[in-house]
Amino acid sequence: MRFVKQLLAVAVAAVALVGGQSVAAVEGSFLLTLVIGAVTAVLGVVVYRWVVRRTERREPTELGQDGWGGKLGRGTFIGLAMFAAVIANIAFLGGYHVEGWGSPTRALGLLGLMAAIAITEELLFRGVLFRIIEERTGTWIALVLTGVVFGAFHLVNPDATLWGATAIAIEAGFMLAACYAATRNLWVPIGLHFGWNFAAGGIFSVVVSGNGESKGLLEASTSGPVALSGGAFGPEGSLYAVLAGAVLTVVFLWLAKRRGHIVPRRHRTAQAPATATVTP
């Protein structure tokens, strides 16, 4: 089973790598970025489902087609609302400034890019890594370990900081793992991840995870202390973002416990109910 999961991780990582390199090669073309991002996103789902069927000999219900649009939509709404609330709080204290309209075409390009990032990262970190660790250690340890790894993964970004990576671990790594535990499907965390990222780069035009300035629907800038604005790492390094992510993590974990989805450590040798069909 370990080899099966490793093969799945390699397959999804290959899609992410090829897609990322392709997007980088067409930087500046919003249309090609949109198309390549969309193709990468779709291909990631197709590859994940195909490898699971072939190697695990089961239907990948965690990425099933039943009601997937509604689940994706709910997650996207939560992500958009969450980031909008963070920006509203930063703006209230004078740390976010709208200077005019930005570029709708660039926002379209970011739509494809953020879809590819959300899908490939969720498939890798929640669909593969979290499932492997949860089966052996239970939900709580899996959540902590994968959250820390997810935060550390963002240290490779150009303007990354240790605090920024820590913030990502808390507000995104823990939250998205908790979201998966609560829903036992990948569509909701994919939507949440996408909504958050697209709101940041495609709508509010702020730095996303230390990756430099984004050009979206608004022309905007941030200022003020790092605790307020997140500094060079972007609003994801703001205490507001950390607080928002922590609150949602608690809510999702409460839902997971209420639905009986928490896998205790003593069941680490048993298969986690990752493939249960649950309506969030």
Side-chain angles (χ1 to χ4, degrees):
M1 183 59 70
R2 181 176 298 177
F3 172 75
V4 167
K5 297 297 196 305
Q6 288 173 344
L7 178 61
L8 180 57
V10 169
V12 175
V15 172
L17 180 61
V18 172
Q21 292 298 318
S22 300
V23 167
V26 299
E27 185 177 2
S29 172
F30 81 91
L31 182 58
L32 288 176
T33 300
L34 173 63
V35 171
I36 293 174
V39 170
T40 301
V42 172
L43 190 58
V45 172
V46 171
V47 168
Y48 182 95
R49 290 174 59 84
W50 184 82
V51 174
V52 166
R53 287 196 186 102
R54 287 284 183 149
T55 59
E56 298 187 33
R57 307 298 180 185
R58 66 176 181 85
E59 187 65 23
T61 53
E62 71 272 23
L63 202 61
Q65 297 178 353
D66 183 27
W68 71 273
K71 296 169 185 176
L72 185 67
R74 285 194 290 276
T76 300
F77 175 79
I78 294 171
L80 289 169
M82 179 182 173
F83 197 83
V86 170
I87 288 294
N89 278 282
I90 295 175
F92 180 74
L93 294 180
Y96 177 77
H97 319 277
V98 176
E99 297 161 0
W101 290 108
S103 172
T105 56
R106 287 182 177 269
L108 279 175
L110 287 171
L111 190 72
L113 176 62
M114 296 309 180
I117 291 174
I119 284 182
T120 54
E121 289 189 0
E122 288 311 299
L123 295 181
L124 281 170
F125 284 95
R126 262 57 69 177
V128 180
L129 188 61
F130 183 84
R131 283 204 296 137
I132 291 174
I133 298 176
E134 187 183 43
E135 286 173 5
R136 291 160 174 76
T137 67
T139 300
W140 299 108
I141 294 177
L143 183 143
V144 172
L145 290 181
T146 58
V148 170
V149 171
F150 189 69
F153 175 73
H154 289 76
L155 282 171
V156 301
N157 295 347
D159 295 318
T161 63
L162 183 59
W163 163 246
T166 302
I168 288 290
I170 298 170
E171 74 202 28
F174 297 164
M175 178 189 65
L176 290 167
C179 179
Y180 175 73
T183 61
R184 290 298 165 183
N185 75 77
L186 289 167
W187 290 117
V188 179
I190 284 172
L192 206 167
H193 194 155
F194 167 74
W196 173 273
N197 277 1
F198 183 71
I203 298 176
F204 296 107
S205 303
V206 294
V207 177
V208 181
S209 307
N211 270 312
E213 294 183 357
S214 299
K215 298 294 183 182
L217 294 176
L218 299 174
E219 186 72 32
S221 61
T222 57
S223 63
V226 173
L228 171 66
S229 68
F233 191 79
E236 287 164 306
S238 165
L239 289 177
Y240 287 120
V242 173
L243 179 60
V247 169
L248 272 184
T249 298
V250 172
V251 171
F252 284 133
L253 287 175
W254 175 78
L255 285 173
K257 184 175 181 179
R258 182 180 179 184
R259 293 170 176 175
H261 294 173
I262 299 295
V263 180
R265 188 175 183 182
R266 65 177 178 274
H267 291 167
R268 61 186 179 275
T269 57
Q271 185 174 359
T275 61
T277 302
V278 179
T279 300

